[in-house]
Amino acid sequence: MVIKALKKKRSLKKATKLKTKSIDEKKLELKNNCNSYIVIDYPFESENIKGFHYVIRVGASNEGYVELSFNNGEWLPCRFASGYWWFDWSYFTPGDHFISARLVNPSGDVILQTENRKCRVC
């Protein structure tokens, strides 16, 4: 009996110490629990790119459309074909570049965004 009472008291203490989540935290949690995804398939992280033309491939869920940004610049639209999003990249300069992709819903709200993918043009 005494042991049960002590366990109940401890669980009540734990319950009162739990932090309540703000509305913004709950929205973020709901957003992160959905089935949306976006990933830059090619180029790989730190890949060396040679030549004058490169096709970037992005995999994403189909809630909207995909855009790319190079070196934190403007967002450019990708084209959809064969189950992937593609971007024909040409006229790039030698050196390090950072590519980021984002999934945007039809009303223009960003659903998800990737971290920067580093690559090097030789």
Side-chain angles (χ1 to χ4, degrees), residues 66-84:
V66 173
E67 296 177 324
L68 288 184
S69 174
F70 295 90
N71 304 318
N72 296 317
E74 67 179 297
W75 290 97
L76 305 168
C78 294
R79 62 184 166 81
F80 185 78
S82 301
Y84 293 97

Side-chain angles (χ1 to χ4, degrees), residues 27-88:
K27 284 181 183 176
L28 182 62
E29 191 175 89
L30 286 172
K31 187 176 181 180
N32 289 338
N33 287 337
C34 68
N35 293 325
S36 300
Y37 69 92
I38 185 164
V39 61
I40 299 173
D41 294 325
Y42 299 104
F44 297 119
E45 179 69 29
S46 301
E47 183 175 337
N48 290 324
I49 297 173
K50 298 174 183 166
F52 301 104
H53 184 264
Y54 189 89
V55 180
I56 297 168
R57 186 177 90 176
V58 178
S61 52
N62 56 1
E63 283 93 353
Y65 56 93
V66 173
E67 296 177 324
L68 288 184
S69 174
F70 295 90
N71 304 318
N72 296 317
E74 67 179 297
W75 290 97
L76 305 168
C78 294
R79 62 184 166 81
F80 185 78
S82 301
Y84 293 97
W85 292 90
W86 306 86
F87 187 87
D88 297 301

